[in-house]
């Protein structure tokens, strides 16, 4: 997984909707105004977080700033979907700052 400057992962853009947390939905449509490709398809957060292992690939000072901001934040996975993945999977983070 990567992480966008707004904290999104896998086209799950904050704040996440209730549908992103549904146990009955494996994939969902998402949309953003931030990129040229606005309409997206993603796995639900519960589907992503159900993996045994996960991997984050992060590079650059921008990603360092957003990652450290997420780790220091008291906001939950509705704003920081990566937090759910970190808490529920055996996660490895590869960072090149």
């Amino acid at each position: 997984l990567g992480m966008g400057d707004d904290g999104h992962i896998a086209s799950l853009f904050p704040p996440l909707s209730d549908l992103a947390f549904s146990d009955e939905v494996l994939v969902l449509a998402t949309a953003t105004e931030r990129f040229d490709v606005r309409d997206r398809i993603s796995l639900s957060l519960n589907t992503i977080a159900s993996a045994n292992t996960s991997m984050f690939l992060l590079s650059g000072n921008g990603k360092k700033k957003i990652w450290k901001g997420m780790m220091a934040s008291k906001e939950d996975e509705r704003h920081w979907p990566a937090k759910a993945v970190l808490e529920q999977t055996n996660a490895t983070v590869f960072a090149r700052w």
Side-chain angles (χ1 to χ4, degrees):
L1 297 164
M3 177 184 263
D5 292 340
D6 59 356
H8 83 270
I9 61 169
S11 294
L12 295 172
F13 298 96
L16 270 58
S17 69
D18 290 340
L19 191 58
F21 296 95
S22 173
D23 287 329
E24 298 178 15
V25 174
L26 298 178
V27 296
L28 63 143
T30 67
T32 181
E33 297 297 320
R34 295 196 62 207
F35 302 104
D36 290 339
V37 178
R38 295 188 167 127
D39 295 319
R40 312 280 183 104
I41 296 173
S42 181
L43 295 172
S44 71
L45 184 57
N46 286 351
T47 301
I48 294 169
S50 72
N52 290 328
T53 59
S54 63
M55 193 176 358
F56 286 90
L57 303 172
L58 308 167
S59 179
N61 286 329
K63 302 300 178 179
K64 179 180 182 180
K65 181 179 177 183
I66 196 74
W67 187 265
K68 287 187 173 212
M70 176 192 73
M71 297 304 281
S73 174
K74 301 231 185 279
E75 291 179 282
D76 65 9
E77 61 270 357
R78 204 164 281 278
H79 183 82
W80 300 105
K83 282 188 173 184
V85 178
L86 290 171
E87 291 171 4
Q88 298 176 38
T89 72
N90 182 15
T92 301
V93 179
F94 293 95
R96 184 174 169 210
W97 314 127

